[in-house]
Amino acid sequence: MAGPRDPAERCSCRNTNCVERPLRRLFEGLASAVAACPWPFVLVPLLLSGVLGAGFVFLPQRQANDIEEQFTPTWGPAKAERDFVRRHFPTDDSERFSAPRLPTEGAYAALIAVATNGTSVLEPAAWAEVLRLNAAVRDADYERLCARTAGGCASPNPLLSRRGDAGPPAPGSLRFPVNGSEFLGAALGGVETDGGRLLGARALKLVYYLREDGPEAHDSRQWLESFLQDIPAKVKELRLGSIQVTYFTSLSRQEEFEGNAKSVIPLFSVTYFLTISFAVISCLRGQMDISYKTLVRAAVGVGVDDMFIMIASWEQSLRKKEKSNVKSLLAETYTEAALSVTITTLTDVLAFFIGTWTAFPSVRSFCLYTGTAFVFCYVYTLTFFGAVLVLNHKREQGNRHWLTCMRVDVGKDQAENSCLYNACCIGSCSGQPSQPEGEHPMSTFLKKYYGPFITNKWIKVLMVLLYGAYLGGSIYGCTQIREGIDLRNLANDASYVIPYYDDEDKYFSTYGPRVMVVIAESVDYWNESVRLGIESCTQNLENISYVDKNYSESWLRVYTGLAKRGLVNIDSKTDFLNNLTVLFRILPSFEWDINKTQDEIEASRFFIQTVNVTSAVDEKNLLSQLREAAKQCSIPLKVYHPAFIYYDQYLVIVQNTVQNVVIAAGAMLVVSLLLIPNPLCCLWVTFAIASVIVGVAGFMTFWNVNLDSISMINLVICIGFSVDFSAHISYAFVTSGESSANKRSIEALSLLGYPVLQGAVSTILGVAVLAASNTYIFRTFFKIMFLVILFGALHGLVFIPVFLTFFGNFGRSPNTKS
């Protein structure tokens, strides 16, 4: 790829090869060692792989599949808020259970009953089936393990608690969404009202909470597992005709997520077949030895792209001169290809290791494992694969069989045999021993047809216009990015949780999380100015568009109301604390909202009701507005709900993504400046990185992919692959010995265009089967990888070759041939 070099060349502004030259000498020495004694370089990597592969024995103990741990920010504020709630408001699910006051989602099984034919679930026929369904769920084990309050199991629905086995409530007999002290907004969905009176409801939710405290926790998990196994059969046995039932448990999301990996395992066999088949076919020229080399190359996995470059350089070395010395052949291959491979590998590894700085453990783990894999692939490419090239070359020179390695006599009789016989026994259809191959047809096509076509002045103008359209569409797409992962997407498309989520979104999305507002420090509640400050803060929270102030629940407001009616005195510390017993007699649940010691209140809480939180944008805005209002309050406040653990991702996902991309792109520029002997080439590589990232981020929006921890992983990958495609072509261009920019671009395409295309196609084939996956995670991986490879290859084979011709005179390295 490079022209002859002047031994006396020195570092300069335009030719920054101070690092390149020592690396070339290092690779030449490594090639000599591999060529002189190839077997250790074959056996040691295989032995190392076997030893390290034993680590799979410990994999089951080291699996980290917890959804909350992997897909939420490690230092998310909601996790600290949850810890605070746990410390100051301990739960007792054996006697004083209250679902809105739980610091977690709890252990539960949920059913949604939807009336069929557009009727109401409160009509007699549907109501009777709801009662039968309830009775089928509440078996003896449930009665033993249920979360309890007031001496019995917590009711799965306020209406059942109120009416037991009686008939349905008469139309208009209940108020909605609050009837007395019961909040029905989360219990009934698709309601029809008249002046606040409940006339009917399309759906009813039953939630069966189990104990999480004490020795019953393990049994509760077993009951939930049994519930998931038995509920489909139970529903079928009940022969329900007036309602349709969907179900969910607190275990469902986690179990479905863990099942995703198992569902995609059968697709791996298809992936290996496609990748290996393409590798064999794309390198075949009619001699069987190429098949063996590419099979070895394909088996290595991630290093497939770099090995295409190695093969191309090896075959170029074979064609250059009459060289029989394998040392000189491999040395030339390494000095030409190894630096380019080093650049792409180093940038890939840097991109992934920089990705470990993210707040998402799933991204950290992926980047750490993948970056390490790239290191091993690089080392194996320069040792194991180089040794295989040497051994295969010796086999060719010795006229040995391509499969058995037995010597094959070549004579006139072989010409009389069939082509298939000669190919299998000799490795050549003609019956002649293997000879160095000519130029690959694709390289010829790129040199004689595609290169001159793409460098035509009118085609250049067209390509500039095409790039402008690409960039404009990408930037517009970036302005439309949607953030956050929808938890339903962690489940299989055919999972039972999808219909449940659909029913929940359709019928129960009007009322969102019931948010705790926690006064986080001890304050003088008996001081009227303090109470007024708390009331002012409460009203500020209630004025948020996502909050309905009519459904707030505050012990302090009720207590203050009692004082205004003259029932209690709260104007001194002693009276305030002593008279709390009066409040607790009236509303016992308020006792759970005050963390009271003997002489002070360390913390307290009240509740506000959110509404119309129906999208990820709403969830992000709700959380940011609540926290901002709490921050502006003169009283130390915290806002918390278990769902906020997942909402926290919205506040850091963009920041983390931009941080990783910018730092990685900067690192790529530094590496390129050190290793590529031309500053302009480095700038084009950096330009390609930025352009591909913008393109992927923009077009993934058009493909309905959100910016979440899953797509964030792929954007980190994007950095590495965009370097791979652009660096090879740019490096070949600046080291070309041709006289004009157009000719240098054509030569770069003819030398490395086909290996770049091979790498792109093989990578797409490697992930193509994921498009058939019935899981969002793997389909998203395919979509973004497809965009990354498509845009990366488009830059490497179209845009970069054209743009380089515009600045060819400035990109010329002084050590290239004129």
Side-chain angles (χ1 to χ4, degrees):
M1 290 184 294
R5 300 182 177 275
D6 179 4
E9 63 188 358
R10 296 290 184 267
C11 303
S12 68
C13 179
R14 294 182 60 197
N15 188 34
T16 56
N17 56 5
C18 299
V19 177
E20 180 206 15
R21 286 188 291 117
L23 283 177
R24 283 182 176 273
R25 290 195 292 269
L26 176 64
F27 292 137
E28 186 174 355
L30 175 61
S32 299
V34 172
C37 194
W39 280 110
F41 292 95
V42 172
L43 298 178
V44 171
L46 292 177
L47 180 62
L48 180 63
S49 296
V51 172
L52 296 179
F56 281 107
V57 175
F58 306 101
L59 187 60
Q61 291 81 29
R62 290 184 167 270
Q63 287 183 347
N65 292 329
D66 183 74
I67 292 177
E68 179 188 309
E69 178 185 342
Q70 294 298 314
F71 291 95
T72 61
T74 303
W75 303 284
K79 293 180 178 178
E81 292 157 1
R82 180 177 59 188
D83 292 340
F84 183 91
V85 171
R86 279 175 167 164
R87 289 196 308 271
H88 292 276
F89 305 100
T91 59
D92 180 6
D93 53 22
S94 61
E95 287 298 334
R96 303 192 312 169
F97 177 79
S98 174
R101 292 170 168 83
L102 288 176
T104 66
E105 290 184 334
Y108 66 90
L111 299 168
I112 294 179
V114 180
T116 57
N117 302 321
T119 59
S120 171
V121 75
L122 300 179
E123 292 185 0
W127 182 262
E129 291 187 355
V130 169
L131 295 180
R132 289 168 53 205
L133 178 64
N134 178 53
V137 173
R138 299 184 65 155
D139 55 19
D141 285 335
Y142 171 76
E143 297 294 336
R144 177 175 61 88
L145 298 171
C146 66
R148 307 177 73 84
T149 184
C153 290
S155 174
N157 186 285
L159 296 185
L160 295 183
S161 173
R162 182 174 182 272
R163 311 193 70 85
D165 293 333
S173 63
L174 301 178
R175 300 195 66 85
F176 187 87
V178 176
N179 185 69
S181 62
E182 297 286 357
F183 180 72
L184 303 180
L188 296 173
V191 299
E192 180 185 357
T193 61
D194 182 14
R197 293 286 176 177
L198 178 65
L199 300 180
R202 284 295 313 282
L204 178 145
K205 183 184 288 187
L206 302 170
V207 184
Y208 301 89
Y209 282 98
L210 303 173
R211 270 177 275 178
E212 293 183 283
D213 301 334
E216 292 86 359
H218 177 70
D219 294 341
S220 295
R221 181 181 180 87
Q222 289 185 328
W223 186 89
L224 290 174
E225 292 172 349
S226 299
F227 172 88
L228 290 175
Q229 294 176 356
D230 300 341
I231 193 62
K234 287 183 177 180
V235 171
K236 188 175 182 180
E237 290 174 2
L238 291 173
R239 300 180 182 274
L240 303 174
S242 299
I243 59 173
Q244 292 179 340
V245 178
T246 54
Y247 59 98
F248 187 83
T249 75
S250 53
L251 302 181
S252 296
R253 194 181 296 123
Q254 183 66 38
E255 290 189 350
E256 289 298 297
F257 172 68
E258 292 177 358
N260 285 340
K262 298 177 183 177
S263 69
V264 81
I265 287 176
L267 298 177
F268 284 133
S269 58
V270 181
T271 296
Y272 291 136
F273 173 78
L274 290 175
T275 305
I276 293 174
S277 298
F278 173 77
V280 172
I281 294 171
S282 67
C283 288
L284 223 94
R285 293 173 178 76
Q287 295 199 17
M288 297 299 291
D289 61 280
I290 299 300
S291 300
Y292 172 73
K293 288 187 289 187
T294 52
L295 280 170
V296 174
R297 178 202 53 71
V300 177
V302 178
V304 61
D305 297 348
D306 289 338
M307 291 190 181
F308 277 129
I309 302 297
M310 291 285 286
I311 289 174
S313 183
W314 170 261
E315 291 168 355
Q316 183 186 355
S317 299
L318 289 173
R319 291 194 301 267
K320 276 188 175 180
K321 294 180 182 180
E322 296 295 332
K323 291 181 180 179
S324 59
N325 185 339
V326 69
K327 283 189 177 182
S328 60
L329 286 172
L330 194 65
E332 184 170 340
T333 297
Y334 272 37
T335 54
E336 295 297 337
L339 183 63
S340 183
V341 170
T342 299
I343 294 170
T344 56
T345 300
L346 184 57
T347 52
D348 286 338
V349 171
L350 272 175
F352 284 113
F353 284 168
I354 289 171
T356 61
W357 298 351
T358 181
F360 295 91
S362 58
V363 180
R364 284 203 301 271
S365 299
F366 178 87
C367 291
L368 181 61
Y369 276 91
T370 309
T372 304
F374 267 89
V375 172
F376 275 90
C377 286
Y378 173 71
V379 173
Y380 279 33
T381 298
L382 297 183
T383 55
F384 176 82
F385 186 68
V388 169
L389 288 176
V390 171
L391 294 174
N392 190 66
H393 180 73
K394 290 182 177 180
R395 179 199 64 78
E396 291 176 349
Q397 296 300 308
N399 291 329
R400 294 183 179 276
H401 192 275
W402 66 275
L403 180 61
T404 65
C405 291
M406 300 296 292
R407 183 178 293 277
V408 177
D409 293 328
V410 180
K412 294 181 180 180
D413 294 341
Q414 302 295 344
E416 301 175 359
N417 294 324
S418 68
C419 177
L420 179 62
Y421 176 88
N422 288 334
C424 290
C425 293
I426 300 174
S428 172
C429 184
S430 65
Q432 299 301 315
S434 299
Q435 299 293 332
E437 297 108 2
E439 195 170 45
H440 194 284
M442 274 300 299
S443 297
T444 303
F445 168 78
L446 292 169
K447 183 176 183 179
K448 292 185 177 180
Y449 301 103
Y450 178 75
F453 171 79
I454 202 71
T455 54
N456 178 277
K457 63 179 181 180
W458 296 113
I459 300 300
K460 290 182 186 180
V461 174
L462 179 62
M463 292 301 104
V464 171
L465 294 176
L466 178 63
Y467 179 77
Y470 158 83
L471 189 61
S474 301
I475 293 173
Y476 173 76
C478 288
T479 64
Q480 306 299 312
I481 285 180
R482 296 176 297 274
E483 302 169 36
I485 186 169
D486 187 342
L487 294 179
R488 80 170 61 207
N489 291 332
L490 298 177
N492 190 293
D493 292 343
S495 169
Y496 63 89
V497 308
I498 302 300
Y500 178 88
Y501 277 130
D502 290 340
D503 285 345
E504 193 170 49
D505 288 346
K506 184 176 182 179
Y507 298 111
F508 295 93
S509 59
T510 301
Y511 297 97
R514 194 159 179 80
V515 177
M516 297 182 196
V517 181
V518 180
I519 300 174
E521 295 179 6
S522 177
V523 298
D524 296 338
Y525 295 90
W526 44 91
N527 187 319
E528 185 176 5
S529 62
V530 172
R531 293 199 300 271
L532 291 175
I534 295 174
E535 179 61 24
S536 175
C537 293
T538 304
Q539 292 178 5
N540 288 338
L541 290 167
E542 291 173 334
N543 287 334
I544 293 173
S545 60
Y546 293 103
V547 176
D548 191 326
K549 62 182 178 181
N550 296 312
Y551 310 127
S552 300
E553 181 183 6
S554 169
W555 69 271
L556 187 58
R557 280 179 174 174
V558 175
Y559 200 31
T560 303
L562 293 176
K564 288 181 179 179
R565 289 155 55 190
L567 299 178
V568 293
N569 180 12
I570 61 172
D571 291 332
S572 69
K573 179 177 181 180
T574 302
D575 290 336
F576 190 98
L577 296 177
N578 291 340
N579 289 329
L580 284 173
T581 55
V582 178
L583 174 67
F584 299 155
R585 283 199 299 269
I586 299 173
L587 288 170
S589 60
F590 282 157
E591 188 173 359
W592 309 335
D593 299 331
I594 302 173
N595 181 12
K596 175 179 172 293
T597 61
Q598 188 170 1
D599 59 351
E600 66 178 358
I601 298 176
E602 292 187 357
S604 71
R605 63 184 173 185
F606 53 92
F607 296 86
I608 55 177
Q609 180 61 50
T610 61
V611 293
N612 300 321
V613 184
T614 58
S615 68
V617 174
D618 293 330
E619 292 169 351
K620 175 185 177 181
N621 292 339
L622 167 67
L623 184 59
S624 60
Q625 290 176 26
L626 285 176
R627 285 185 175 160
E628 181 61 27
K631 183 179 179 181
Q632 297 299 323
C633 180
S634 58
I635 305 296
L637 294 184
K638 295 180 182 290
V639 288
Y640 174 72
H641 186 274
F644 290 178
I645 300 290
Y646 297 95
Y647 292 4
D648 269 341
Q649 63 178 308
Y650 305 128
L651 304 183
V652 298
I653 187 69
V654 173
Q655 173 190 343
N656 269 231
T657 302
V658 172
Q659 167 190 298
N660 288 347
V661 167
V662 170
I663 294 176
M668 304 305 103
L669 178 60
V670 172
V671 171
S672 300
L673 285 171
L674 288 175
L675 298 182
I676 299 179
N678 187 279
L680 183 65
C681 177
C682 305
L683 294 177
W684 280 117
V685 170
T686 306
F687 159 79
I689 294 173
S691 181
V692 172
I693 290 173
V694 171
V696 172
F699 279 84
M700 77 179 192
T701 305
F702 302 139
W703 214 345
N704 297 320
V705 175
N706 288 5
L707 179 60
D708 52 37
S709 57
I710 298 169
S711 54
M712 184 179 175
I713 289 172
N714 290 272
L715 289 175
V716 174
I717 296 175
C718 178
I719 299 170
F721 276 103
S722 58
V723 171
D724 288 354
F725 294 121
S726 57
H728 294 311
I729 297 296
S730 300
Y731 184 70
F733 178 90
V734 300
T735 56
S736 171
E738 295 293 340
S739 56
S740 70
N742 282 355
K743 290 182 179 179
R744 295 164 71 194
S745 183
I746 293 171
E747 183 180 48
L749 286 169
S750 67
L751 290 176
L752 288 178
Y754 186 48
V756 166
L757 182 63
Q758 284 177 304
V761 175
S762 64
T763 304
I764 288 178
L765 287 176
V767 299
V769 293
L770 297 181
S773 172
N774 53 9
T775 303
Y776 168 85
I777 292 177
F778 295 112
R779 285 199 306 273
T780 297
F781 191 87
F782 161 74
K783 288 179 180 180
I784 300 187
M785 283 299 296
F786 179 82
L787 292 176
V788 168
I789 302 304
L790 175 64
F791 293 153
L794 189 65
H795 280 72
L797 298 176
V798 179
F799 296 143
I800 294 296
V802 169
F803 295 157
L804 283 172
T805 62
F806 297 146
F807 304 93
N809 293 333
F810 299 98
R812 188 74 179 278
S813 292
N815 61 323
T816 55
K817 260 190 321 188
S818 300

